Structure formats: structure tokens, C-alpha cells
Amino acid sequence: NEIDVDSYSYYRFNAKAIRIENVTGYVMEENDITASDYSDCVLVVDTEDATITNNSFECQGQYDFVAERCTRILISRNEISRGDGISVEECSDASVDANMLRGEYYSGYPGIHATNSVDVVISGNAIIKGGSIGLADTRDSWVHDNYVADAEYFDYSGSFRGMVASGCYNLTISRNVLVNSTAAGLDV
């Protein structure tokens, strides 16, 4: 499928190009999704047993893909080239695996972020000229075998970090490659 949503109206500020809510057993695969002027491109909320694989996201809003309050979600082998990447919020048993995020445009710094979640695995992803891998208030999780190069995420201190973890409990970070950050490659 090819989905192209284009709206430059200020009325669309908190709109989503695609919103999936309260579904069990959802599969989204092999879609090309482009959108501009949306706050989050794809939102999956209150959903169980979801699989998001082999999609291409080119969005200009905030996050390209947001999983919020999901249980057992797999986000794997997707390509993201604009926006802010992948966000996992208040989820349990989430896997973000083998995605390619590349900041090819001036619009956004795609990265991977998990907040207020439990049992999250972030593995085998590549982030090139994009954002960072960031975790906040997340527990019982594992971040491994990721590649982050030329992190361009700008924080308030004027520094670029490859990976940031804050307020986490029982977090394992192993075998990641973090190169070309202007500040700490890993900030815990």
C-alpha cells in the first residue's frame, strides 16, 4: 500500500495520518507512508499483539511512529527518513528491532525513544545522521547491538549524544556502536 497524506492547514496540528486504537492482533506491513504537517504520523494506542514491519515512513511531523499503552508490540525492519523516529510510551513487552533511521532531510532527527515502559528490547537498529536512542523511566529493558553514527540531536546544552538513559531501573546496555557525538556517546 502507498499512503500519501498532505495537509498544510494549521487545523491539523494534533492530527495523525493513521491512528490505530484498542485493537488486538494488528499487523501493519509493507506500506509506504508519507505525510507532512502532522504532529505524529502513525499512532498505535491501547493495542495488544501488534506487528509493524517492513514499512517506509517519510513524515514531517513529530514522531513517525508512536506506540502508546501497548502490550506485546513488535516494530521491526522499518525505514524512516524524516521526523523524529520511533517512540514507545507506557508500553510493556515491546521490541524495536532492525529498523533503519536516516536523517536525510533538514526536517527532524529520527531516533528511538522509550518512556515509562517495561520490558523493552531495542536491538539491531541503525541510526545515521539522526537522533539518539533515549530511555526515560523505563525498567527491565535491554538495549543491544545498535549502531548510532553522527547523532545530530540537539539538546539544550548544545551537545549531541548517541544514547541517553535517565531514571531507568534494571537496564542492560551492551554491544552498541556509538560514533561521532559531540558530547558523551553514552549518557546515563
Short mmCIF file of all heavy atoms in Angstrom, two decimals, residues 102-155:
data_model
loop_
_atom_site.label_atom_id
_atom_site.label_comp_id
_atom_site.label_asym_id
_atom_site.label_seq_id
_atom_site.Cartn_x
_atom_site.Cartn_y
_atom_site.Cartn_z
N ARG A 102 17.43 7.24 9.11
CA ARG A 102 18.46 8.05 8.47
C ARG A 102 17.92 9.47 8.28
O ARG A 102 16.91 9.66 7.63
CB ARG A 102 18.82 7.46 7.11
CG ARG A 102 19.92 8.20 6.38
CD ARG A 102 20.19 7.60 5.01
NE ARG A 102 20.57 6.22 5.06
CZ ARG A 102 21.82 5.78 5.16
NH1 ARG A 102 22.81 6.65 5.24
NH2 ARG A 102 22.09 4.51 5.18
N GLY A 103 18.62 10.43 8.89
CA GLY A 103 18.25 11.83 8.74
C GLY A 103 18.71 12.36 7.40
O GLY A 103 19.79 12.91 7.30
N GLU A 104 17.89 12.22 6.38
CA GLU A 104 18.27 12.63 5.03
C GLU A 104 17.83 14.06 4.71
O GLU A 104 18.25 14.63 3.74
CB GLU A 104 17.67 11.68 4.01
CG GLU A 104 18.23 10.28 4.12
CD GLU A 104 17.61 9.32 3.13
OE1 GLU A 104 16.65 9.71 2.44
OE2 GLU A 104 18.09 8.18 3.05
N TYR A 105 16.97 14.61 5.50
CA TYR A 105 16.43 15.94 5.22
C TYR A 105 16.66 16.83 6.44
O TYR A 105 16.96 16.36 7.52
CB TYR A 105 14.93 15.87 4.93
CG TYR A 105 14.59 15.00 3.76
CD1 TYR A 105 14.26 13.67 3.95
CD2 TYR A 105 14.63 15.49 2.48
CE1 TYR A 105 13.96 12.85 2.89
CE2 TYR A 105 14.31 14.68 1.40
CZ TYR A 105 13.97 13.36 1.61
OH TYR A 105 13.68 12.56 0.55
N TYR A 106 16.46 18.10 6.26
CA TYR A 106 16.59 19.03 7.37
C TYR A 106 15.43 18.85 8.36
O TYR A 106 15.48 19.31 9.48
CB TYR A 106 16.61 20.48 6.85
CG TYR A 106 16.76 21.49 7.94
CD1 TYR A 106 17.95 21.60 8.64
CD2 TYR A 106 15.71 22.32 8.28
CE1 TYR A 106 18.10 22.53 9.65
CE2 TYR A 106 15.84 23.24 9.29
CZ TYR A 106 17.04 23.35 9.98
OH TYR A 106 17.16 24.25 10.97
N SER A 107 14.41 18.17 7.97
CA SER A 107 13.21 18.04 8.78
C SER A 107 13.31 16.88 9.77
O SER A 107 13.06 15.74 9.45
CB SER A 107 12.01 17.81 7.86
OG SER A 107 10.86 17.61 8.60
N GLY A 108 13.70 17.16 10.99
CA GLY A 108 13.69 16.16 12.05
C GLY A 108 14.98 15.38 12.20
O GLY A 108 15.84 15.39 11.32
N TYR A 109 15.09 14.72 13.33
CA TYR A 109 16.25 13.90 13.66
C TYR A 109 15.74 12.55 14.13
O TYR A 109 15.53 12.33 15.32
CB TYR A 109 17.09 14.57 14.76
CG TYR A 109 17.54 15.96 14.39
CD1 TYR A 109 16.96 17.08 14.96
CD2 TYR A 109 18.53 16.13 13.43
CE1 TYR A 109 17.38 18.35 14.60
CE2 TYR A 109 18.94 17.40 13.06
CZ TYR A 109 18.37 18.51 13.66
OH TYR A 109 18.76 19.76 13.30
N PRO A 110 15.47 11.62 13.24
CA PRO A 110 14.86 10.37 13.65
C PRO A 110 15.71 9.58 14.64
O PRO A 110 16.91 9.39 14.45
CB PRO A 110 14.66 9.60 12.35
CG PRO A 110 15.54 10.25 11.35
CD PRO A 110 15.75 11.66 11.81
N GLY A 111 15.09 9.15 15.71
CA GLY A 111 15.74 8.34 16.73
C GLY A 111 14.74 7.37 17.32
O GLY A 111 13.61 7.24 16.83
N ILE A 112 15.15 6.68 18.38
CA ILE A 112 14.28 5.71 19.05
C ILE A 112 14.21 6.10 20.52
O ILE A 112 15.24 6.26 21.17
CB ILE A 112 14.84 4.28 18.90
CG1 ILE A 112 14.91 3.91 17.42
CG2 ILE A 112 13.98 3.29 19.69
CD1 ILE A 112 15.66 2.62 17.14
N HIS A 113 12.99 6.24 21.03
CA HIS A 113 12.81 6.67 22.41
C HIS A 113 11.78 5.79 23.12
O HIS A 113 10.75 5.45 22.53
CB HIS A 113 12.37 8.14 22.45
CG HIS A 113 13.38 9.03 21.80
ND1 HIS A 113 13.25 9.46 20.51
CD2 HIS A 113 14.55 9.52 22.24
CE1 HIS A 113 14.29 10.19 20.19
NE2 HIS A 113 15.10 10.24 21.21
N ALA A 114 12.07 5.43 24.36
CA ALA A 114 11.14 4.68 25.19
C ALA A 114 10.98 5.42 26.51
O ALA A 114 11.97 5.79 27.14
CB ALA A 114 11.66 3.27 25.44
N THR A 115 9.74 5.66 26.92
CA THR A 115 9.47 6.34 28.18
C THR A 115 8.38 5.60 28.95
O THR A 115 7.44 5.07 28.37
CB THR A 115 9.00 7.80 27.95
OG1 THR A 115 7.86 7.80 27.10
CG2 THR A 115 10.08 8.64 27.32
N ASN A 116 8.57 5.56 30.27
CA ASN A 116 7.59 4.96 31.19
C ASN A 116 7.14 3.58 30.72
O ASN A 116 5.95 3.27 30.74
CB ASN A 116 6.37 5.88 31.36
CG ASN A 116 6.76 7.19 31.97
OD1 ASN A 116 7.47 7.23 32.97
ND2 ASN A 116 6.31 8.28 31.37
N SER A 117 8.07 2.76 30.29
CA SER A 117 7.75 1.45 29.75
C SER A 117 8.48 0.36 30.53
O SER A 117 9.42 0.63 31.27
CB SER A 117 8.12 1.38 28.27
OG SER A 117 7.34 2.29 27.52
N VAL A 118 8.06 -0.88 30.31
CA VAL A 118 8.67 -2.02 30.98
C VAL A 118 8.88 -3.14 29.97
O VAL A 118 8.06 -3.33 29.06
CB VAL A 118 7.81 -2.50 32.18
CG1 VAL A 118 6.43 -2.95 31.74
CG2 VAL A 118 8.50 -3.58 32.97
N ASP A 119 10.00 -3.85 30.11
CA ASP A 119 10.34 -4.98 29.25
C ASP A 119 10.42 -4.57 27.77
O ASP A 119 9.73 -5.11 26.92
CB ASP A 119 9.34 -6.12 29.45
CG ASP A 119 9.86 -7.43 28.87
OD1 ASP A 119 11.08 -7.56 28.69
OD2 ASP A 119 9.03 -8.32 28.57
N VAL A 120 11.29 -3.60 27.51
CA VAL A 120 11.51 -3.11 26.15
C VAL A 120 12.86 -3.62 25.67
O VAL A 120 13.85 -3.54 26.39
CB VAL A 120 11.49 -1.56 26.11
CG1 VAL A 120 11.83 -1.05 24.71
CG2 VAL A 120 10.15 -1.02 26.57
N VAL A 121 12.92 -4.13 24.45
CA VAL A 121 14.18 -4.54 23.84
C VAL A 121 14.38 -3.68 22.59
O VAL A 121 13.53 -3.67 21.69
CB VAL A 121 14.18 -6.04 23.46
CG1 VAL A 121 15.47 -6.40 22.74
CG2 VAL A 121 13.98 -6.90 24.69
N ILE A 122 15.50 -2.95 22.56
CA ILE A 122 15.87 -2.13 21.40
C ILE A 122 17.16 -2.74 20.86
O ILE A 122 18.20 -2.66 21.50
CB ILE A 122 16.07 -0.65 21.81
CG1 ILE A 122 14.77 -0.08 22.39
CG2 ILE A 122 16.55 0.17 20.62
CD1 ILE A 122 14.91 1.31 22.98
N SER A 123 17.07 -3.38 19.68
CA SER A 123 18.23 -4.14 19.20
C SER A 123 18.37 -4.09 17.69
O SER A 123 17.39 -4.03 16.95
CB SER A 123 18.10 -5.60 19.64
OG SER A 123 17.00 -6.21 19.00
N GLY A 124 19.63 -4.09 17.24
CA GLY A 124 19.94 -4.22 15.82
C GLY A 124 19.50 -3.08 14.95
O GLY A 124 19.38 -3.23 13.73
N ASN A 125 19.25 -1.92 15.52
CA ASN A 125 18.82 -0.75 14.75
C ASN A 125 20.02 0.05 14.27
O ASN A 125 21.07 0.04 14.91
CB ASN A 125 17.93 0.14 15.61
CG ASN A 125 16.70 -0.59 16.08
OD1 ASN A 125 15.78 -0.83 15.31
ND2 ASN A 125 16.68 -0.99 17.35
N ALA A 126 19.87 0.77 13.17
CA ALA A 126 20.90 1.68 12.69
C ALA A 126 20.29 3.08 12.60
O ALA A 126 19.24 3.27 12.00
CB ALA A 126 21.41 1.25 11.32
N ILE A 127 20.97 4.03 13.25
CA ILE A 127 20.55 5.44 13.20
C ILE A 127 21.73 6.23 12.65
O ILE A 127 22.78 6.28 13.27
CB ILE A 127 20.15 5.95 14.58
CG1 ILE A 127 19.03 5.10 15.18
CG2 ILE A 127 19.74 7.42 14.50
CD1 ILE A 127 18.69 5.44 16.61
N ILE A 128 21.55 6.82 11.48
CA ILE A 128 22.64 7.52 10.82
C ILE A 128 22.21 8.97 10.55
O ILE A 128 21.17 9.20 9.93
CB ILE A 128 23.02 6.81 9.51
CG1 ILE A 128 23.46 5.38 9.83
CG2 ILE A 128 24.11 7.57 8.78
CD1 ILE A 128 23.63 4.49 8.65
N LYS A 129 23.03 9.91 11.00
CA LYS A 129 22.74 11.34 10.88
C LYS A 129 21.33 11.65 11.36
O LYS A 129 20.57 12.37 10.71
CB LYS A 129 22.93 11.81 9.45
CG LYS A 129 24.37 11.84 9.05
CD LYS A 129 24.57 12.59 7.76
CE LYS A 129 26.07 12.65 7.49
NZ LYS A 129 26.39 13.56 6.44
N GLY A 130 20.99 11.10 12.48
CA GLY A 130 19.67 11.33 13.03
C GLY A 130 19.76 11.69 14.49
O GLY A 130 20.66 12.40 14.91
N GLY A 131 18.84 11.17 15.25
CA GLY A 131 18.79 11.44 16.68
C GLY A 131 19.53 10.38 17.46
O GLY A 131 20.49 9.79 16.99
N SER A 132 19.04 10.13 18.65
CA SER A 132 19.71 9.21 19.55
C SER A 132 18.77 8.08 19.93
O SER A 132 17.62 8.04 19.51
CB SER A 132 20.14 9.97 20.81
OG SER A 132 18.99 10.48 21.47
N ILE A 133 19.29 7.18 20.75
CA ILE A 133 18.45 6.22 21.43
C ILE A 133 18.28 6.77 22.84
O ILE A 133 19.27 7.01 23.53
CB ILE A 133 19.08 4.82 21.46
CG1 ILE A 133 19.20 4.28 20.03
CG2 ILE A 133 18.25 3.88 22.34
CD1 ILE A 133 19.91 2.95 19.93
N GLY A 134 17.06 7.01 23.26
CA GLY A 134 16.81 7.61 24.56
C GLY A 134 15.80 6.80 25.35
O GLY A 134 14.80 6.36 24.82
N LEU A 135 16.13 6.59 26.64
CA LEU A 135 15.21 5.89 27.53
C LEU A 135 15.00 6.73 28.77
O LEU A 135 15.97 7.26 29.34
CB LEU A 135 15.76 4.52 27.92
CG LEU A 135 15.86 3.52 26.79
CD1 LEU A 135 17.28 3.49 26.28
CD2 LEU A 135 15.44 2.16 27.26
N ALA A 136 13.75 6.85 29.22
CA ALA A 136 13.44 7.59 30.43
C ALA A 136 12.41 6.82 31.23
O ALA A 136 11.40 6.35 30.68
CB ALA A 136 12.92 8.97 30.08
N ASP A 137 12.70 6.65 32.52
CA ASP A 137 11.76 5.98 33.43
C ASP A 137 11.26 4.65 32.88
O ASP A 137 10.07 4.34 32.91
CB ASP A 137 10.58 6.92 33.74
CG ASP A 137 11.06 8.23 34.33
OD1 ASP A 137 11.92 8.18 35.23
OD2 ASP A 137 10.61 9.29 33.89
N THR A 138 12.19 3.88 32.36
CA THR A 138 11.89 2.58 31.75
C THR A 138 12.63 1.51 32.55
O THR A 138 13.74 1.72 33.00
CB THR A 138 12.32 2.59 30.27
OG1 THR A 138 11.50 3.55 29.59
CG2 THR A 138 12.15 1.26 29.62
N ARG A 139 12.01 0.35 32.74
CA ARG A 139 12.63 -0.68 33.57
C ARG A 139 12.60 -2.05 32.89
O ARG A 139 11.85 -2.28 31.95
CB ARG A 139 11.98 -0.75 34.94
CG ARG A 139 10.54 -1.12 34.95
CD ARG A 139 9.96 -1.06 36.37
NE ARG A 139 8.54 -1.26 36.37
CZ ARG A 139 7.95 -2.43 36.47
NH1 ARG A 139 8.66 -3.53 36.58
NH2 ARG A 139 6.64 -2.53 36.46
N ASP A 140 13.48 -2.92 33.42
CA ASP A 140 13.58 -4.31 32.94
C ASP A 140 13.74 -4.37 31.42
O ASP A 140 13.03 -5.10 30.73
CB ASP A 140 12.35 -5.13 33.37
CG ASP A 140 12.16 -5.14 34.87
OD1 ASP A 140 13.19 -5.15 35.59
OD2 ASP A 140 11.01 -5.13 35.34
N SER A 141 14.68 -3.60 30.90
CA SER A 141 14.84 -3.48 29.45
C SER A 141 16.28 -3.73 29.01
O SER A 141 17.20 -3.69 29.83
CB SER A 141 14.38 -2.09 29.01
OG SER A 141 13.00 -1.94 29.30
N TRP A 142 16.46 -3.95 27.71
CA TRP A 142 17.76 -4.29 27.15
C TRP A 142 17.96 -3.52 25.85
O TRP A 142 17.10 -3.56 24.96
CB TRP A 142 17.81 -5.79 26.90
CG TRP A 142 19.12 -6.35 26.49
CD1 TRP A 142 20.35 -5.79 26.62
CD2 TRP A 142 19.33 -7.62 25.87
NE1 TRP A 142 21.32 -6.63 26.12
CE2 TRP A 142 20.72 -7.78 25.66
CE3 TRP A 142 18.49 -8.65 25.48
CZ2 TRP A 142 21.28 -8.90 25.08
CZ3 TRP A 142 19.04 -9.78 24.90
CH2 TRP A 142 20.42 -9.89 24.70
N VAL A 143 19.08 -2.81 25.74
CA VAL A 143 19.45 -2.08 24.53
C VAL A 143 20.76 -2.68 24.03
O VAL A 143 21.79 -2.56 24.69
CB VAL A 143 19.62 -0.56 24.82
CG1 VAL A 143 20.00 0.18 23.55
CG2 VAL A 143 18.35 0.01 25.44
N HIS A 144 20.73 -3.34 22.88
CA HIS A 144 21.95 -4.03 22.42
C HIS A 144 22.07 -4.05 20.90
O HIS A 144 21.10 -3.96 20.17
CB HIS A 144 21.99 -5.47 22.98
CG HIS A 144 20.93 -6.37 22.43
ND1 HIS A 144 21.13 -7.16 21.32
CD2 HIS A 144 19.65 -6.61 22.82
CE1 HIS A 144 20.03 -7.86 21.07
NE2 HIS A 144 19.12 -7.54 21.96
N ASP A 145 23.33 -4.12 20.47
CA ASP A 145 23.69 -4.31 19.06
C ASP A 145 23.11 -3.25 18.12
O ASP A 145 22.76 -3.54 16.98
CB ASP A 145 23.29 -5.72 18.58
CG ASP A 145 24.03 -6.80 19.34
OD1 ASP A 145 25.27 -6.81 19.28
OD2 ASP A 145 23.37 -7.61 20.02
N ASN A 146 23.03 -2.01 18.59
CA ASN A 146 22.58 -0.90 17.76
C ASN A 146 23.78 -0.12 17.25
O ASN A 146 24.85 -0.13 17.86
CB ASN A 146 21.68 0.03 18.59
CG ASN A 146 20.43 -0.67 19.05
OD1 ASN A 146 19.53 -0.94 18.26
ND2 ASN A 146 20.38 -1.00 20.33
N TYR A 147 23.59 0.60 16.15
CA TYR A 147 24.63 1.43 15.56
C TYR A 147 24.08 2.85 15.45
O TYR A 147 23.05 3.08 14.79
CB TYR A 147 25.00 0.90 14.18
CG TYR A 147 26.05 1.70 13.46
CD1 TYR A 147 27.40 1.53 13.77
CD2 TYR A 147 25.70 2.62 12.49
CE1 TYR A 147 28.37 2.27 13.10
CE2 TYR A 147 26.66 3.37 11.82
CZ TYR A 147 28.00 3.19 12.14
OH TYR A 147 28.96 3.92 11.49
N VAL A 148 24.74 3.81 16.12
CA VAL A 148 24.32 5.21 16.07
C VAL A 148 25.52 6.03 15.61
O VAL A 148 26.56 6.06 16.28
CB VAL A 148 23.83 5.71 17.44
CG1 VAL A 148 23.40 7.17 17.35
CG2 VAL A 148 22.68 4.84 17.97
N ALA A 149 25.40 6.67 14.45
CA ALA A 149 26.51 7.45 13.89
C ALA A 149 26.07 8.87 13.58
O ALA A 149 24.96 9.09 13.10
CB ALA A 149 27.03 6.78 12.61
N ASP A 150 26.96 9.82 13.86
CA ASP A 150 26.74 11.22 13.53
C ASP A 150 25.43 11.75 14.12
O ASP A 150 24.62 12.37 13.43
CB ASP A 150 26.74 11.44 12.02
CG ASP A 150 28.03 10.98 11.38
OD1 ASP A 150 29.10 11.30 11.93
OD2 ASP A 150 27.98 10.28 10.35
N ALA A 151 25.23 11.47 15.41
CA ALA A 151 24.00 11.92 16.08
C ALA A 151 23.88 13.43 15.95
O ALA A 151 24.78 14.16 16.33
CB ALA A 151 24.01 11.49 17.53
N GLU A 152 22.76 13.86 15.42
CA GLU A 152 22.54 15.28 15.22
C GLU A 152 21.47 15.82 16.14
O GLU A 152 20.97 16.92 15.94
CB GLU A 152 22.18 15.55 13.76
CG GLU A 152 23.32 15.24 12.82
CD GLU A 152 23.01 15.62 11.38
OE1 GLU A 152 21.91 16.14 11.12
OE2 GLU A 152 23.87 15.39 10.53
N TYR A 153 21.07 15.05 17.13
CA TYR A 153 20.06 15.52 18.07
C TYR A 153 20.63 16.65 18.90
O TYR A 153 21.66 16.53 19.53
CB TYR A 153 19.60 14.38 18.99
CG TYR A 153 18.61 14.84 20.02
CD1 TYR A 153 17.30 15.09 19.66
CD2 TYR A 153 19.00 15.06 21.33
CE1 TYR A 153 16.39 15.53 20.60
CE2 TYR A 153 18.10 15.50 22.26
CZ TYR A 153 16.79 15.74 21.90
OH TYR A 153 15.90 16.18 22.83
N PHE A 154 19.96 17.79 18.90
CA PHE A 154 20.43 18.98 19.60
C PHE A 154 19.69 19.09 20.93
O PHE A 154 18.48 19.23 20.95
CB PHE A 154 20.17 20.21 18.75
CG PHE A 154 20.61 21.50 19.41
CD1 PHE A 154 21.95 21.84 19.42
CD2 PHE A 154 19.70 22.34 20.00
CE1 PHE A 154 22.36 23.02 20.01
CE2 PHE A 154 20.10 23.51 20.58
CZ PHE A 154 21.44 23.85 20.59
N ASP A 155 20.41 18.99 22.04
CA ASP A 155 19.75 19.21 23.32
C ASP A 155 20.05 20.63 23.79
O ASP A 155 20.75 21.39 23.15
CB ASP A 155 20.14 18.16 24.35
CG ASP A 155 21.59 18.24 24.80
OD1 ASP A 155 22.26 19.23 24.47
OD2 ASP A 155 22.04 17.32 25.48
#
